[in-house]
Amino acid sequence: MIRLIKLPVLALLILVMSVLIEKGIFSAEAPSQRGLSISKNGRYFLQDGKPFFWLGDSAWSLFSLYTKDEITYYLDHRKQQGFNVIQVMIPFNGGPGLKTAGTDVEGNLPFHDWDPRKPNENYFKKVDWVVKKAEQKGIVLYVLAMGGSGGSFVRVKKVFTRENARGYGEWLGRRYKDATNIIWMNGFDLAPWSFQEVAEDFAEGLRSTDNGAHLVSYAPAGGFSSSYFQDAKWVSFNHIQTWSDYWRAPAFVLSDYCQLPVKPVVMAEGAYEAGPEYPSRPITPYVVRKEAYWSYLSGGFHTYGHNDIWRKNPSWRESLESPGAKQMTILKKLLETCKWWQLVPDQSLFVQNASSDKTFNSAARSTESDFAIVYLSSQTSVPIDLRRVARTDRVTVTVMNPATGAKEDLGNFPSHSTQTFATPADSEDAVLLLDAKATFR
């Protein structure tokens, strides 16, 4: 288990380190990638030299359980909604409450005799097709090459071992070295120290043939982060999974945000909308909104997921239009109105009532102190220190309902003042936009 730093201590650390970090002093040297790359300060992703806003979706079974026509429909729909990263597995072996033989819809296994040294060309031709189709639509695939729920491929089938992991990595790296829209996900959905040598052998093999062409991270089990490998050169960014403990997302993200060397942080797997397997049910659109706003305002990025999509339940088409998915579009459109890459977490905006756990309120301001975004995760009232947004003498404050995108102007206030704001009575949560330079207009 990674050690989480307490939030008040994190706030102080962030304020002390922010200037040095934003200058890139503590960032790791990033390799040259054909697709996405890492910003100089180590905080965010770049595509064609421009900031890339990661909004992910989990469709783990896309390679195996979806037909080509269904894949095209899915990718078109998610592209229209603003999703630009899709998380998918090569060997899909199911998950909680779901069992599968691991074949695709045409009956092909990814490997002959379940031996990674014998890739099944028929299976990987479809993977090739999906990679190309996604590339045409401007979508990045974040590909889990070895894992499966609970690491069953390692523990039960003994599929991936030290005897074959490096060679499998070399084969994948060679086959996809020219693909511009792949990120590799190492790991087994287990504690990061489980089968560590297998993961490292795979990473070495991959790097030896793709020559660092792609970003790589590690997929841990719920309650862990890939920051266990913080010093590993093959880990390009941190990948977090909270599973059912979704309220731990801001603490995880903030903790990884403060790790050195600096790397981007992705809350890649929280609780899935409508997921039936979590002890803390139900996972409503309200819950997935909280996960997302906590992630972005705590210094990271976020991947959404819906139970029907990753499993490919019969209702998957209808669930593409789920409330939670639509609200991710609202979130992305909001953040793309500002220079989101300049945001740094700043809990000092709250004079008090920052709260914790399921009612944690989060805040971030620009490095230029000309705008800030505050997320109120419940029905609450908070005093806000507008001096944190003191680029001009006055600050305009707007409240947005994150479920609908509806906005209401709350007024124009002196920047050197403390003002109290509340969640509207008809909203579960709220977003406050503190604007000193007409950023959100």
Side-chain angles (χ1 to χ4, degrees):
M1 179 71 70
I2 65 168
R3 188 173 71 181
L4 298 179
I5 305 172
K6 293 183 178 180
L7 290 174
V9 177
L10 274 171
L12 178 60
L13 285 173
I14 291 165
L15 289 173
V16 171
M17 296 171 60
S18 60
V19 174
L20 294 176
I21 288 173
E22 293 310 313
K23 290 182 180 295
I25 291 174
F26 294 124
S27 59
E29 183 177 353
S32 174
Q33 285 84 28
R34 291 181 56 82
L36 294 189
S37 58
I38 305 297
S39 63
K40 182 179 179 181
N41 67 2
R43 286 297 182 206
Y44 54 90
F45 302 96
L46 297 172
Q47 188 174 59
D48 299 324
K50 299 178 181 179
F52 176 86
F53 185 88
W54 176 305
L55 178 61
D57 185 37
S58 291
W60 297 116
S61 60
L62 198 68
F63 289 149
S64 53
L65 300 186
Y66 286 74
T67 67
K68 289 184 177 180
D69 286 345
E70 290 170 337
I71 291 168
T72 299
Y73 183 87
Y74 165 81
L75 292 175
D76 283 341
H77 211 95
R78 283 304 194 226
K79 176 179 175 60
Q80 187 273 329
Q81 292 172 317
F83 291 91
N84 53 10
V85 180
I86 306 300
Q87 297 180 175
V88 59
M89 292 181 184
I90 288 179
F92 180 74
N93 70 315
L98 182 65
K99 294 182 179 180
T100 173
T103 59
D104 65 14
V105 291
E106 297 177 351
N108 298 303
L109 287 170
F111 315 111
H112 294 294
D113 304 321
W114 277 116
D115 185 347
R117 292 167 292 194
K118 303 176 184 178
N120 185 340
E121 185 65 18
N122 289 331
Y123 188 96
F124 279 93
K125 280 182 179 179
K126 184 181 177 184
V127 173
D128 298 345
W129 182 89
V130 178
V131 170
K132 285 291 186 184
K133 182 65 67 172
E135 183 180 36
Q136 292 167 6
K137 299 179 186 300
I139 292 174
V140 174
L141 298 179
Y142 184 22
V143 182
L144 180 57
M146 296 193 293
S149 180
S152 57
F153 276 98
V154 176
R155 293 187 301 172
V156 180
K157 293 183 178 294
K158 303 293 185 184
V159 171
F160 298 103
T161 66
R162 293 208 70 183
E163 287 69 39
N164 61 43
R166 183 183 175 92
Y168 174 53
E170 291 174 351
W171 184 84
L172 282 178
R174 187 179 302 112
R175 188 180 185 100
Y176 296 105
K177 64 182 175 63
D178 294 326
T180 62
N181 65 322
I182 284 181
I183 300 173
W184 291 113
M185 189 188 308
N186 198 345
F188 312 99
D189 195 14
L190 291 167
W193 50 85
S194 301
F195 303 97
Q196 179 175 339
E197 292 178 333
V198 178
E200 290 173 339
D201 287 346
F202 170 78
E204 289 176 4
L206 188 69
R207 281 291 188 234
S208 72
T209 52
D210 83 347
N211 298 316
H214 301 102
L215 301 178
V216 182
S217 193
Y218 182 94
F224 297 94
S225 166
S226 63
S227 58
Y228 175 81
F229 297 103
Q230 191 73 22
D231 293 329
K233 292 184 178 179
W234 59 266
V235 176
S236 311
F237 60 94
N238 285 336
H239 172 128
I240 297 167
Q241 181 185 168
T242 62
W243 199 60
S244 62
D245 294 344
Y246 64 85
W247 58 89
R248 301 179 66 198
F252 268 99
V253 174
L254 281 165
S255 181
D256 277 5
Y257 184 88
C258 286
Q259 299 286 341
L260 298 176
V262 172
K263 295 180 180 182
V265 183
V266 178
M267 235 304 300
E269 199 171 4
Y272 293 95
E273 184 176 6
E277 67 268 22
Y278 305 105
S280 52
R281 293 190 301 268
I283 307 302
T284 62
Y286 173 42
V287 169
V288 297
R289 282 200 308 276
K290 290 200 285 189
E291 291 180 313
Y293 280 94
W294 283 335
S295 298
Y296 289 114
L297 297 185
S298 297
F301 298 88
H302 181 72
T303 294
Y304 161 86
H306 192 288
N307 179 64
D308 288 347
I309 306 301
W310 77 267
R311 297 172 182 269
K312 205 208 171 194
N313 284 339
S315 55
W316 70 269
R317 288 179 186 265
E318 294 86 345
S319 294
L320 287 171
E321 285 293 315
S322 68
K326 291 180 177 179
Q327 289 156 18
M328 296 303 103
T329 302
I330 292 170
L331 181 156
K332 184 178 181 182
K333 286 182 176 179
L334 167 66
L335 288 176
E336 286 190 333
T337 63
C338 67
K339 295 181 179 179
W340 55 263
W341 57 93
Q342 292 183 353
L343 286 170
V344 293
D346 190 353
Q347 291 300 102
S348 70
L349 279 152
F350 298 103
V351 177
Q352 59 186 27
N353 296 351
S355 195
S356 61
D357 296 329
K358 294 181 181 180
T359 59
F360 178 71
N361 301 314
S362 55
R365 60 166 176 82
S366 78
T367 53
E368 301 297 321
S369 294
D370 54 359
F371 71 92
I373 302 176
V374 175
Y375 177 63
L376 306 181
S377 68
S378 64
Q379 275 287 328
T380 188
S381 176
V382 295
I384 298 294
D385 184 359
L386 296 182
R387 291 176 300 175
R388 305 301 299 162
V389 194
R391 184 66 179 268
T392 59
D393 293 335
R394 308 289 294 183
V395 177
T396 299
V397 181
T398 303
V399 63
M400 187 189 83
N401 184 332
T404 66
K407 296 178 182 178
E408 178 186 355
D409 288 336
L410 298 183
N412 189 274
F413 305 92
S415 59
H416 294 278
S417 68
T418 295
Q419 303 290 332
T420 298
F421 303 100
T423 309
D426 60 350
S427 300
E428 293 175 298
D429 50 351
V431 177
L432 298 174
L433 308 177
L434 314 179
D435 193 348
K437 287 185 64 179
T439 300
F440 302 102
R441 302 292 162 170

